[in-house]
Amino acid sequence: MGEQKNAPVQDTKQLLKVRRDKLAELQQAGKDPFQITKYDVTHHSTDIKNHFEELDGQKVSVAGRVMSKRVMGKASFCNIQDLPGNIQCYVARDSLGEEAYKDFKKLDIGDIVGVEGVVFKTKTGEISIHAEKITLLSKSLQILPEKFHGLTNTDMRYRQRYVDLIMNPEVKDTFIKRSRIISSIRKYLDGQGFMEVETPMLVANAGGAAARPFETHFNALNEDLKLRISLELYLKRLIVGGMERVYEIGRVFRNEGLDTRHNPEFTLMELYQAYTDYHGMMDLTENLYRTVAQEVLGTTKIVYNGIEMDLGKPFERITMVDAVKKYSGVDFNEIHTLEEARAAAKEHNVEFEPHHKKGDILNLFFEEYAEEHLVQPTFVMDHPIEISPLTKKKPENPEYVERFEFFMNGWEMANAYSELNDPIDQRERFKAQEELLAQGDEEANTTDEDFLNALEIGMPPTGGIGFGIDRMVMLLTDSAAIRDVLAFPTMKPLD
């Protein structure tokens, strides 16, 4: 196979020098691969394998990376990897010519080549290309690691994703699926009459969610700005303007910690639909998830971490109060005062803070007792008003709001409201948020005067929802951590 992989440092230095020397030699001989600007590819590896009957005996040209090479005197084999897969090439001195065969023997694992030749099947039945011409398109000056997948230090796989993609086909498959999932979401929403729009990332007021923003400075206007934490307040302005059905898929930024489900920048999708409510959003969510799974995976039954979840069955719908009652035995319909809520929390070891109101404590109970049980697709509805500053109250029970969170695998996958469109009520709720901010809550919102002005112009009754795209991709690709579905996740600096 030529090089000794995972060689001692001294050997590695020597091997790297050999590669550079080979490049210098090529350049002196007027064969500099970096001077080549294009190469005509007629087929990918999998096209050839899938359509062997019609391509047998035909001339093709493929391009990709040399992943292995067996030199055996006058005839050799190499394996070329391209986007969808890999294919074997049979390289004979007589077909290539003396000098070209010598050049082939000097190729290194990792070099990128173009191969022109005829499709055939070897004696052992492997579909291959009988090479007639090999063109070196790029010289690899580094050595590919042999066991990149089993690295105990997965850190390296995230830092050098380009190597990870070369060495691990299932990683490449995850990112191909990610692209297909997003494209399938777009197709579904476009078919429902939604318009895709774009809203600002640099904002004076980062609202629409509870999160600490990143802050930056805009020199031209000498003004401090923030990176958006959600898409909500601008999309609602478009609903006010009469757009009726809008969505955006984009990066949002939250100045928070890193863990298996959180990265400081992640992909959010939010959509708003005029003249519907949170029940309309539930139907849309159910249909969207079902459609995307069927389209991308070919099934509505997904398996995550060994657990099967069925998107084909109707999703369960339960109120937050009923979920807490079911899993903790505490019935918040019977709890009427903050004192009673605090007493129940103490009795059940649910930790709360002095500023928490009854609704906050209900939510803490939900997080403590119910969340982990919501493995199958479940809509948890009717949240307390204290934790929902942008949502319509339930007319018959104003302590609660028309909101749901969608859960799978014990994770929150989406959050939706019948949107608050009363500007007077909205101002009051911003005021309550400002008070929390003054008490030291860094995640509270500040009053957005222009947004209030938009609501005063008039917003129709509207349903809205936010989806975490990365979590959806994690579930549909059976990926353990958010870093596995972000091509380039945020990493601690190496030093």
Side-chain angles (χ1 to χ4, degrees), residues 240-477:
V240 168
M243 294 299 228
E244 288 194 10
R245 294 183 183 209
V246 293
Y247 74 96
E248 180 171 10
I249 298 175
R251 280 283 165 114
V252 297
F253 309 87
R254 297 184 181 181
N255 205 343
E256 296 166 352
L258 296 160
D259 65 26
T260 55
R261 277 187 281 163
H262 294 90
N263 194 71
E265 48 175 316
F266 61 97
T267 303
L268 188 62
M269 175 180 79
E270 290 196 26
L271 64 89
Y272 292 85
Q273 179 180 339
Y275 313 114
T276 189
D277 64 359
Y278 72 142
H279 292 291
M281 291 295 106
M282 279 185 232
D283 296 339
L284 183 143
T285 305
E286 197 163 327
N287 291 331
L288 175 73
Y289 259 79
R290 205 166 280 153
T291 304
V292 171
Q294 188 63 52
E295 239 176 54
V296 177
L297 306 177
T299 174
T300 54
K301 285 189 173 148
I302 63 167
V303 177
Y304 184 84
N305 199 13
I307 297 165
E308 186 176 277
M309 291 166 243
D310 192 351
L311 294 162
K313 292 182 182 155
F315 296 4
E316 190 189 345
R317 302 183 181 198
I318 188 170
T319 66
M320 186 182 273
V321 169
D322 286 345
V324 166
K325 186 175 167 185
K326 180 173 173 180
Y327 295 110
S328 76
V330 176
D331 185 356
F332 268 75
N333 286 326
E334 303 300 317
I335 291 177
H336 302 292
T337 64
L338 177 56
E339 281 59 46
E340 288 170 15
R342 283 177 172 165
K346 282 176 184 154
E347 196 184 320
H348 287 77
N349 299 320
V350 172
E351 287 181 27
F352 59 90
E353 291 177 31
H355 65 264
H356 281 149
K357 299 189 169 68
K358 183 183 127 186
D360 296 295
I361 293 172
L362 166 64
N363 188 48
L364 292 169
F365 262 91
F366 172 73
E367 287 172 0
E368 185 74 32
Y369 283 96
E371 242 174 54
E372 62 185 302
H373 298 287
L374 307 176
V375 175
Q376 294 303 319
T378 306
F379 294 118
V380 175
M381 312 179 295
D382 302 352
H383 293 52
I385 192 165
E386 290 88 343
I387 60 164
S388 315
L390 298 158
T391 320
K392 258 193 184 184
K393 293 175 189 167
K394 288 182 74 66
E396 70 284 5
N397 190 354
E399 281 184 26
Y400 294 92
V401 295
E402 295 200 349
R403 172 182 174 186
F404 72 80
E405 286 173 298
F406 172 48
F407 281 85
M408 280 179 75
N409 191 47
W411 304 346
E412 180 207 330
M413 304 299 292
N415 183 21
Y417 311 152
S418 298
E419 301 298 332
L420 180 60
N421 61 344
D422 173 348
I424 296 160
D425 187 356
Q426 182 65 78
R427 183 175 289 282
E428 284 304 305
R429 299 210 217 166
F430 272 142
K431 208 165 113 189
Q433 288 284 307
E434 296 269 12
E435 281 163 21
L436 289 175
L437 200 65
Q439 288 165 25
D441 181 350
E442 292 180 326
E443 295 190 342
N445 287 198
T446 52
T447 306
D448 185 330
E449 286 297 343
D450 181 69
F451 176 65
L452 288 170
N453 185 57
L455 288 188
E456 286 181 3
I457 297 283
M459 182 169 96
T462 297
I465 188 164
F467 283 86
I469 296 289
D470 307 298
R471 286 189 191 176
M472 184 181 193
V473 175
M474 282 170 73
L475 271 189
L476 295 180
T477 58

Side-chain angles (χ1 to χ4, degrees), residues 50-58:
N50 295 341
H51 303 104
F52 174 71
E53 275 65 34
E54 59 215 66
L55 289 172
D56 189 8
Q58 301 292 315

Side-chain angles (χ1 to χ4, degrees), residues 16-295:
L16 291 174
K17 184 180 180 306
V18 168
R19 290 192 174 211
R20 286 177 189 263
D21 291 347
K22 284 182 185 176
L23 175 64
E25 233 173 81
L26 285 164
Q27 288 168 330
Q28 278 156 11
K31 296 177 181 175
D32 184 352
F34 299 124
Q35 296 288 324
I36 295 174
T37 55
K38 61 177 283 210
Y39 185 81
D40 289 326
V41 174
T42 62
H43 294 79
H44 275 106
S45 55
T46 45
D47 303 334
I48 296 168
K49 290 177 177 177
N50 295 341
H51 303 104
F52 174 71
E53 275 65 34
E54 59 215 66
L55 289 172
D56 189 8
Q58 301 292 315
K59 205 173 214 183
V60 294
S61 67
V62 298
R65 197 177 289 276
V66 178
M67 294 306 283
S68 67
K69 188 174 138 223
R70 279 203 320 281
V71 175
M72 306 175 306
K74 297 179 186 177
S76 302
F77 286 97
C78 67
N79 194 286
I80 304 297
Q81 177 173 298
D82 58 14
L83 173 71
N86 57 73
I87 192 157
Q88 174 174 279
C89 299
Y90 171 67
V91 187
R93 189 181 67 189
D94 297 348
S95 310
L96 226 56
E98 193 85 37
E99 194 187 343
Y101 191 61
K102 261 189 202 149
D103 287 345
F104 165 76
K105 289 205 289 191
K106 288 182 185 165
L107 289 179
D108 288 306
I109 305 300
D111 285 352
I112 294 172
V113 296
V115 178
E116 240 175 274
V118 174
V119 175
F120 79 112
K121 214 177 239 180
T122 61
K123 288 188 187 110
T124 57
E126 183 163 354
I127 294 168
S128 307
I129 297 169
H130 191 305
E132 293 173 354
K133 186 180 179 194
I134 294 182
T135 312
L136 177 59
L137 302 172
S138 178
K139 182 81 194 144
S140 175
L141 299 177
Q142 277 286 359
I143 297 167
L144 288 175
E146 199 165 16
K147 300 201 164 38
F148 207 65
H149 186 76
L151 271 188
T152 41
N153 172 10
T154 47
D155 205 56
M156 213 56 211
R157 290 181 39 217
Y158 299 134
R159 286 182 198 281
Q160 295 187 17
R161 181 68 86 191
Y162 40 93
V163 182
D164 196 19
L165 289 165
I166 294 165
M167 302 307 292
N168 301 314
E170 69 281 11
V171 171
K172 193 193 282 182
D173 185 53
T174 295
F175 288 105
I176 291 170
K177 278 202 181 112
R178 180 183 175 111
S179 172
R180 290 186 59 212
I181 287 164
I182 291 172
S183 138
S184 174
I185 292 170
R186 285 197 163 102
K187 191 170 121 194
Y188 176 79
L189 291 176
D190 295 346
Q192 297 291 315
F194 280 84
M195 268 175 33
E196 185 172 10
V197 297
E198 288 166 302
T199 63
M201 290 195 188
L202 286 171
V203 295
N205 189 332
R212 265 179 74 178
F214 284 93
E215 298 185 8
T216 185
H217 186 75
F218 181 30
N219 295 335
L221 295 180
N222 190 22
E223 165 186 33
D224 288 333
L225 292 173
K226 299 179 175 76
L227 289 174
R228 66 183 180 190
I229 58 172
S230 91
L231 314 170
E232 178 160 348
L233 301 181
Y234 282 100
L235 290 175
K236 284 180 173 174
R237 285 167 168 88
L238 294 176
I239 294 286
V240 168
M243 294 299 228
E244 288 194 10
R245 294 183 183 209
V246 293
Y247 74 96
E248 180 171 10
I249 298 175
R251 280 283 165 114
V252 297
F253 309 87
R254 297 184 181 181
N255 205 343
E256 296 166 352
L258 296 160
D259 65 26
T260 55
R261 277 187 281 163
H262 294 90
N263 194 71
E265 48 175 316
F266 61 97
T267 303
L268 188 62
M269 175 180 79
E270 290 196 26
L271 64 89
Y272 292 85
Q273 179 180 339
Y275 313 114
T276 189
D277 64 359
Y278 72 142
H279 292 291
M281 291 295 106
M282 279 185 232
D283 296 339
L284 183 143
T285 305
E286 197 163 327
N287 291 331
L288 175 73
Y289 259 79
R290 205 166 280 153
T291 304
V292 171
Q294 188 63 52
E295 239 176 54

